[in-house]
Amino acid sequence: QVQLVESGGGLVQPGGSLRLSCAASGSIFSINAMGWFRQAPGKQRELVATTTRGGSTNVADSVKGRFTISRDNAKNTVHLQMNSLKPEDTAVYYCNALITTRSGRIELAYWGPGTQVTVSS
């Protein structure tokens, strides 16, 4: 079994910063891409940022220049540093990873349970 667990969400004032972390654990053979998605009330889930095992990144235009994604392959973790937060960044943030398990040797997409980020004064 594979688990993704997020941490670091919370309430922050506009202009503030938060750092989200996600750790993958379980019967992992390898992890390909890892990233973050978010879903605001009444809206579809959208990509925030992703990173490949080699370190290439893809960041949504709406957060470019404010959010930075980073990854530690040795620890199976991915982080999202969020600066200059705006009220429109309020959403549940989900960690996602493409993981091949030791048993199945099939790559599947796994999701964390999500962490709430609220930007409000």
PDB file of all heavy atoms in Angstrom, residues 20-48:
ATOM      1  N   LEU A  20       3.883  23.930   2.146  1.00  0.00           N
ATOM      2  CA  LEU A  20       3.237  22.632   2.191  1.00  0.00           C
ATOM      3  C   LEU A  20       4.267  21.530   1.951  1.00  0.00           C
ATOM      4  O   LEU A  20       5.197  21.708   1.160  1.00  0.00           O
ATOM      5  CB  LEU A  20       2.144  22.533   1.122  1.00  0.00           C
ATOM      6  CG  LEU A  20       1.049  23.592   1.158  1.00  0.00           C
ATOM      7  CD1 LEU A  20       0.010  23.293   0.066  1.00  0.00           C
ATOM      8  CD2 LEU A  20       0.394  23.680   2.509  1.00  0.00           C
ATOM      9  N   SER A  21       4.063  20.424   2.644  1.00  0.00           N
ATOM     10  CA  SER A  21       4.927  19.269   2.449  1.00  0.00           C
ATOM     11  C   SER A  21       4.068  18.030   2.223  1.00  0.00           C
ATOM     12  O   SER A  21       2.948  17.935   2.737  1.00  0.00           O
ATOM     13  CB  SER A  21       5.830  19.051   3.662  1.00  0.00           C
ATOM     14  OG  SER A  21       6.723  20.131   3.822  1.00  0.00           O
ATOM     15  N   CYS A  22       4.615  17.094   1.471  1.00  0.00           N
ATOM     16  CA  CYS A  22       3.923  15.840   1.204  1.00  0.00           C
ATOM     17  C   CYS A  22       4.953  14.718   1.241  1.00  0.00           C
ATOM     18  O   CYS A  22       5.995  14.813   0.581  1.00  0.00           O
ATOM     19  CB  CYS A  22       3.243  15.876  -0.148  1.00  0.00           C
ATOM     20  SG  CYS A  22       2.532  14.312  -0.684  1.00  0.00           S
ATOM     21  N   ALA A  23       4.641  13.690   2.003  1.00  0.00           N
ATOM     22  CA  ALA A  23       5.541  12.539   2.104  1.00  0.00           C
ATOM     23  C   ALA A  23       4.835  11.292   1.605  1.00  0.00           C
ATOM     24  O   ALA A  23       3.703  11.005   2.008  1.00  0.00           O
ATOM     25  CB  ALA A  23       5.981  12.345   3.552  1.00  0.00           C
ATOM     26  N   ALA A  24       5.515  10.573   0.730  1.00  0.00           N
ATOM     27  CA  ALA A  24       5.001   9.299   0.226  1.00  0.00           C
ATOM     28  C   ALA A  24       5.652   8.161   0.990  1.00  0.00           C
ATOM     29  O   ALA A  24       6.855   8.187   1.245  1.00  0.00           O
ATOM     30  CB  ALA A  24       5.296   9.164  -1.265  1.00  0.00           C
ATOM     31  N   SER A  25       4.844   7.182   1.357  1.00  0.00           N
ATOM     32  CA  SER A  25       5.380   6.044   2.095  1.00  0.00           C
ATOM     33  C   SER A  25       4.671   4.770   1.661  1.00  0.00           C
ATOM     34  O   SER A  25       3.616   4.817   1.029  1.00  0.00           O
ATOM     35  CB  SER A  25       5.210   6.250   3.602  1.00  0.00           C
ATOM     36  OG  SER A  25       3.833   6.335   3.935  1.00  0.00           O
ATOM     37  N   GLY A  26       5.280   3.646   2.011  1.00  0.00           N
ATOM     38  CA  GLY A  26       4.681   2.358   1.681  1.00  0.00           C
ATOM     39  C   GLY A  26       5.578   1.547   0.777  1.00  0.00           C
ATOM     40  O   GLY A  26       6.783   1.750   0.721  1.00  0.00           O
ATOM     41  N   SER A  27       4.951   0.651   0.047  1.00  0.00           N
ATOM     42  CA  SER A  27       5.686  -0.276  -0.802  1.00  0.00           C
ATOM     43  C   SER A  27       6.006   0.374  -2.153  1.00  0.00           C
ATOM     44  O   SER A  27       5.402   0.052  -3.168  1.00  0.00           O
ATOM     45  CB  SER A  27       4.864  -1.552  -1.006  1.00  0.00           C
ATOM     46  OG  SER A  27       5.572  -2.481  -1.788  1.00  0.00           O
ATOM     47  N   ILE A  28       6.969   1.267  -2.133  1.00  0.00           N
ATOM     48  CA  ILE A  28       7.287   2.078  -3.305  1.00  0.00           C
ATOM     49  C   ILE A  28       8.512   1.536  -4.018  1.00  0.00           C
ATOM     50  O   ILE A  28       9.561   1.364  -3.399  1.00  0.00           O
ATOM     51  CB  ILE A  28       7.520   3.543  -2.898  1.00  0.00           C
ATOM     52  CG1 ILE A  28       6.243   4.135  -2.316  1.00  0.00           C
ATOM     53  CG2 ILE A  28       8.002   4.360  -4.095  1.00  0.00           C
ATOM     54  CD1 ILE A  28       6.420   5.503  -1.689  1.00  0.00           C
ATOM     55  N   PHE A  29       8.368   1.308  -5.312  1.00  0.00           N
ATOM     56  CA  PHE A  29       9.523   0.921  -6.132  1.00  0.00           C
ATOM     57  C   PHE A  29      10.178   2.164  -6.708  1.00  0.00           C
ATOM     58  O   PHE A  29      11.394   2.323  -6.661  1.00  0.00           O
ATOM     59  CB  PHE A  29       9.094  -0.033  -7.239  1.00  0.00           C
ATOM     60  CG  PHE A  29      10.200  -0.405  -8.184  1.00  0.00           C
ATOM     61  CD1 PHE A  29      11.210  -1.272  -7.782  1.00  0.00           C
ATOM     62  CD2 PHE A  29      10.241   0.108  -9.481  1.00  0.00           C
ATOM     63  CE1 PHE A  29      12.248  -1.618  -8.636  1.00  0.00           C
ATOM     64  CE2 PHE A  29      11.266  -0.239 -10.347  1.00  0.00           C
ATOM     65  CZ  PHE A  29      12.274  -1.107  -9.916  1.00  0.00           C
ATOM     66  N   SER A  30       9.340   3.047  -7.276  1.00  0.00           N
ATOM     67  CA  SER A  30       9.875   4.290  -7.810  1.00  0.00           C
ATOM     68  C   SER A  30       8.762   5.325  -7.891  1.00  0.00           C
ATOM     69  O   SER A  30       7.580   4.985  -7.950  1.00  0.00           O
ATOM     70  CB  SER A  30      10.490   4.084  -9.192  1.00  0.00           C
ATOM     71  OG  SER A  30       9.496   3.730 -10.129  1.00  0.00           O
ATOM     72  N   ILE A  31       9.162   6.585  -7.888  1.00  0.00           N
ATOM     73  CA  ILE A  31       8.217   7.696  -8.028  1.00  0.00           C
ATOM     74  C   ILE A  31       8.616   8.515  -9.236  1.00  0.00           C
ATOM     75  O   ILE A  31       9.766   8.961  -9.336  1.00  0.00           O
ATOM     76  CB  ILE A  31       8.176   8.583  -6.774  1.00  0.00           C
ATOM     77  CG1 ILE A  31       7.819   7.750  -5.545  1.00  0.00           C
ATOM     78  CG2 ILE A  31       7.160   9.700  -6.965  1.00  0.00           C
ATOM     79  CD1 ILE A  31       7.782   8.559  -4.249  1.00  0.00           C
ATOM     80  N   ASN A  32       7.695   8.734 -10.122  1.00  0.00           N
ATOM     81  CA  ASN A  32       7.948   9.542 -11.308  1.00  0.00           C
ATOM     82  C   ASN A  32       7.627  10.992 -10.954  1.00  0.00           C
ATOM     83  O   ASN A  32       8.299  11.602 -10.134  1.00  0.00           O
ATOM     84  CB  ASN A  32       7.123   9.016 -12.472  1.00  0.00           C
ATOM     85  CG  ASN A  32       7.558   9.593 -13.814  1.00  0.00           C
ATOM     86  OD1 ASN A  32       8.315  10.570 -13.867  1.00  0.00           O
ATOM     87  ND2 ASN A  32       7.102   8.996 -14.881  1.00  0.00           N
ATOM     88  N   ALA A  33       6.582  11.549 -11.518  1.00  0.00           N
ATOM     89  CA  ALA A  33       6.234  12.931 -11.229  1.00  0.00           C
ATOM     90  C   ALA A  33       5.560  13.056  -9.859  1.00  0.00           C
ATOM     91  O   ALA A  33       4.873  12.139  -9.407  1.00  0.00           O
ATOM     92  CB  ALA A  33       5.310  13.483 -12.306  1.00  0.00           C
ATOM     93  N   MET A  34       5.792  14.196  -9.223  1.00  0.00           N
ATOM     94  CA  MET A  34       5.087  14.562  -7.991  1.00  0.00           C
ATOM     95  C   MET A  34       4.602  15.992  -8.158  1.00  0.00           C
ATOM     96  O   MET A  34       5.236  16.790  -8.874  1.00  0.00           O
ATOM     97  CB  MET A  34       5.999  14.469  -6.766  1.00  0.00           C
ATOM     98  CG  MET A  34       6.548  13.098  -6.479  1.00  0.00           C
ATOM     99  SD  MET A  34       7.487  13.034  -4.931  1.00  0.00           S
ATOM    100  CE  MET A  34       6.150  12.898  -3.733  1.00  0.00           C
ATOM    101  N   GLY A  35       3.518  16.322  -7.488  1.00  0.00           N
ATOM    102  CA  GLY A  35       3.050  17.686  -7.644  1.00  0.00           C
ATOM    103  C   GLY A  35       1.901  18.045  -6.732  1.00  0.00           C
ATOM    104  O   GLY A  35       1.514  17.276  -5.852  1.00  0.00           O
ATOM    105  N   TRP A  36       1.389  19.224  -6.987  1.00  0.00           N
ATOM    106  CA  TRP A  36       0.303  19.784  -6.189  1.00  0.00           C
ATOM    107  C   TRP A  36      -0.831  20.258  -7.094  1.00  0.00           C
ATOM    108  O   TRP A  36      -0.589  20.875  -8.128  1.00  0.00           O
ATOM    109  CB  TRP A  36       0.818  20.967  -5.366  1.00  0.00           C
ATOM    110  CG  TRP A  36       1.806  20.569  -4.326  1.00  0.00           C
ATOM    111  CD1 TRP A  36       3.159  20.528  -4.459  1.00  0.00           C
ATOM    112  CD2 TRP A  36       1.520  20.127  -3.004  1.00  0.00           C
ATOM    113  NE1 TRP A  36       3.740  20.090  -3.295  1.00  0.00           N
ATOM    114  CE2 TRP A  36       2.749  19.847  -2.381  1.00  0.00           C
ATOM    115  CE3 TRP A  36       0.346  19.952  -2.269  1.00  0.00           C
ATOM    116  CZ2 TRP A  36       2.846  19.393  -1.068  1.00  0.00           C
ATOM    117  CZ3 TRP A  36       0.443  19.501  -0.971  1.00  0.00           C
ATOM    118  CH2 TRP A  36       1.673  19.229  -0.368  1.00  0.00           C
ATOM    119  N   PHE A  37      -2.039  19.968  -6.656  1.00  0.00           N
ATOM    120  CA  PHE A  37      -3.245  20.451  -7.294  1.00  0.00           C
ATOM    121  C   PHE A  37      -4.075  21.142  -6.212  1.00  0.00           C
ATOM    122  O   PHE A  37      -3.831  20.948  -5.017  1.00  0.00           O
ATOM    123  CB  PHE A  37      -4.046  19.282  -7.896  1.00  0.00           C
ATOM    124  CG  PHE A  37      -3.383  18.653  -9.089  1.00  0.00           C
ATOM    125  CD1 PHE A  37      -2.233  17.883  -8.957  1.00  0.00           C
ATOM    126  CD2 PHE A  37      -3.910  18.821 -10.362  1.00  0.00           C
ATOM    127  CE1 PHE A  37      -1.608  17.306 -10.053  1.00  0.00           C
ATOM    128  CE2 PHE A  37      -3.302  18.243 -11.469  1.00  0.00           C
ATOM    129  CZ  PHE A  37      -2.158  17.490 -11.308  1.00  0.00           C
ATOM    130  N   ARG A  38      -5.038  21.946  -6.633  1.00  0.00           N
ATOM    131  CA  ARG A  38      -5.911  22.573  -5.641  1.00  0.00           C
ATOM    132  C   ARG A  38      -7.337  22.637  -6.172  1.00  0.00           C
ATOM    133  O   ARG A  38      -7.572  22.628  -7.374  1.00  0.00           O
ATOM    134  CB  ARG A  38      -5.412  23.971  -5.295  1.00  0.00           C
ATOM    135  CG  ARG A  38      -5.512  24.988  -6.420  1.00  0.00           C
ATOM    136  CD  ARG A  38      -4.846  26.310  -5.999  1.00  0.00           C
ATOM    137  NE  ARG A  38      -4.967  27.321  -7.055  1.00  0.00           N
ATOM    138  CZ  ARG A  38      -4.397  28.528  -6.980  1.00  0.00           C
ATOM    139  NH1 ARG A  38      -3.667  28.853  -5.907  1.00  0.00           N
ATOM    140  NH2 ARG A  38      -4.558  29.393  -7.957  1.00  0.00           N
ATOM    141  N   GLN A  39      -8.257  22.707  -5.218  1.00  0.00           N
ATOM    142  CA  GLN A  39      -9.660  22.800  -5.578  1.00  0.00           C
ATOM    143  C   GLN A  39     -10.349  23.777  -4.635  1.00  0.00           C
ATOM    144  O   GLN A  39     -10.395  23.560  -3.417  1.00  0.00           O
ATOM    145  CB  GLN A  39     -10.350  21.437  -5.499  1.00  0.00           C
ATOM    146  CG  GLN A  39     -11.765  21.442  -6.025  1.00  0.00           C
ATOM    147  CD  GLN A  39     -12.299  20.045  -6.247  1.00  0.00           C
ATOM    148  OE1 GLN A  39     -11.785  19.064  -5.737  1.00  0.00           O
ATOM    149  NE2 GLN A  39     -13.343  19.937  -7.062  1.00  0.00           N
ATOM    150  N   ALA A  40     -10.844  24.852  -5.214  1.00  0.00           N
ATOM    151  CA  ALA A  40     -11.604  25.850  -4.462  1.00  0.00           C
ATOM    152  C   ALA A  40     -13.084  25.472  -4.492  1.00  0.00           C
ATOM    153  O   ALA A  40     -13.525  24.752  -5.394  1.00  0.00           O
ATOM    154  CB  ALA A  40     -11.384  27.221  -5.066  1.00  0.00           C
ATOM    155  N   PRO A  41     -13.855  25.960  -3.529  1.00  0.00           N
ATOM    156  CA  PRO A  41     -15.289  25.630  -3.498  1.00  0.00           C
ATOM    157  C   PRO A  41     -15.977  26.001  -4.800  1.00  0.00           C
ATOM    158  O   PRO A  41     -15.823  27.110  -5.308  1.00  0.00           O
ATOM    159  CB  PRO A  41     -15.809  26.475  -2.331  1.00  0.00           C
ATOM    160  CG  PRO A  41     -14.624  26.669  -1.452  1.00  0.00           C
ATOM    161  CD  PRO A  41     -13.453  26.769  -2.379  1.00  0.00           C
ATOM    162  N   GLY A  42     -16.720  25.059  -5.354  1.00  0.00           N
ATOM    163  CA  GLY A  42     -17.467  25.302  -6.571  1.00  0.00           C
ATOM    164  C   GLY A  42     -16.644  25.294  -7.839  1.00  0.00           C
ATOM    165  O   GLY A  42     -17.169  25.583  -8.919  1.00  0.00           O
ATOM    166  N   LYS A  43     -15.367  24.951  -7.719  1.00  0.00           N
ATOM    167  CA  LYS A  43     -14.497  24.951  -8.900  1.00  0.00           C
ATOM    168  C   LYS A  43     -13.888  23.571  -9.105  1.00  0.00           C
ATOM    169  O   LYS A  43     -13.859  22.742  -8.201  1.00  0.00           O
ATOM    170  CB  LYS A  43     -13.395  26.004  -8.758  1.00  0.00           C
ATOM    171  CG  LYS A  43     -13.900  27.422  -8.732  1.00  0.00           C
ATOM    172  CD  LYS A  43     -12.750  28.402  -8.780  1.00  0.00           C
ATOM    173  CE  LYS A  43     -13.239  29.839  -8.838  1.00  0.00           C
ATOM    174  NZ  LYS A  43     -12.108  30.814  -8.918  1.00  0.00           N
ATOM    175  N   GLN A  44     -13.375  23.361 -10.314  1.00  0.00           N
ATOM    176  CA  GLN A  44     -12.709  22.102 -10.614  1.00  0.00           C
ATOM    177  C   GLN A  44     -11.306  22.087 -10.035  1.00  0.00           C
ATOM    178  O   GLN A  44     -10.694  23.144  -9.815  1.00  0.00           O
ATOM    179  CB  GLN A  44     -12.643  21.902 -12.133  1.00  0.00           C
ATOM    180  CG  GLN A  44     -13.979  21.602 -12.777  1.00  0.00           C
ATOM    181  CD  GLN A  44     -13.833  21.206 -14.230  1.00  0.00           C
ATOM    182  OE1 GLN A  44     -12.908  21.649 -14.913  1.00  0.00           O
ATOM    183  NE2 GLN A  44     -14.732  20.364 -14.715  1.00  0.00           N
ATOM    184  N   ARG A  45     -10.819  20.891  -9.783  1.00  0.00           N
ATOM    185  CA  ARG A  45      -9.439  20.746  -9.320  1.00  0.00           C
ATOM    186  C   ARG A  45      -8.500  21.200 -10.436  1.00  0.00           C
ATOM    187  O   ARG A  45      -8.695  20.858 -11.612  1.00  0.00           O
ATOM    188  CB  ARG A  45      -9.151  19.293  -8.934  1.00  0.00           C
ATOM    189  CG  ARG A  45      -7.848  19.085  -8.211  1.00  0.00           C
ATOM    190  CD  ARG A  45      -7.721  17.656  -7.703  1.00  0.00           C
ATOM    191  NE  ARG A  45      -8.759  17.324  -6.730  1.00  0.00           N
ATOM    192  CZ  ARG A  45      -8.750  16.204  -6.008  1.00  0.00           C
ATOM    193  NH1 ARG A  45      -7.768  15.329  -6.144  1.00  0.00           N
ATOM    194  NH2 ARG A  45      -9.718  15.962  -5.157  1.00  0.00           N
ATOM    195  N   GLU A  46      -7.478  21.957 -10.074  1.00  0.00           N
ATOM    196  CA  GLU A  46      -6.550  22.486 -11.057  1.00  0.00           C
ATOM    197  C   GLU A  46      -5.106  22.234 -10.649  1.00  0.00           C
ATOM    198  O   GLU A  46      -4.784  22.150  -9.464  1.00  0.00           O
ATOM    199  CB  GLU A  46      -6.756  23.995 -11.251  1.00  0.00           C
ATOM    200  CG  GLU A  46      -6.482  24.829 -10.022  1.00  0.00           C
ATOM    201  CD  GLU A  46      -6.632  26.333 -10.276  1.00  0.00           C
ATOM    202  OE1 GLU A  46      -6.990  26.729 -11.390  1.00  0.00           O
ATOM    203  OE2 GLU A  46      -6.361  27.093  -9.326  1.00  0.00           O
ATOM    204  N   LEU A  47      -4.266  22.143 -11.655  1.00  0.00           N
ATOM    205  CA  LEU A  47      -2.844  21.944 -11.408  1.00  0.00           C
ATOM    206  C   LEU A  47      -2.238  23.215 -10.835  1.00  0.00           C
ATOM    207  O   LEU A  47      -2.519  24.315 -11.307  1.00  0.00           O
ATOM    208  CB  LEU A  47      -2.137  21.564 -12.710  1.00  0.00           C
ATOM    209  CG  LEU A  47      -0.636  21.314 -12.669  1.00  0.00           C
ATOM    210  CD1 LEU A  47      -0.265  20.247 -13.698  1.00  0.00           C
ATOM    211  CD2 LEU A  47       0.159  22.588 -12.944  1.00  0.00           C
ATOM    212  N   VAL A  48      -1.396  23.045  -9.823  1.00  0.00           N
ATOM    213  CA  VAL A  48      -0.638  24.164  -9.276  1.00  0.00           C
ATOM    214  C   VAL A  48       0.810  24.077  -9.744  1.00  0.00           C
ATOM    215  O   VAL A  48       1.342  25.007 -10.341  1.00  0.00           O
ATOM    216  CB  VAL A  48      -0.688  24.175  -7.734  1.00  0.00           C
ATOM    217  CG1 VAL A  48       0.167  25.314  -7.184  1.00  0.00           C
ATOM    218  CG2 VAL A  48      -2.133  24.294  -7.248  1.00  0.00           C
TER     219      VAL A  48
END
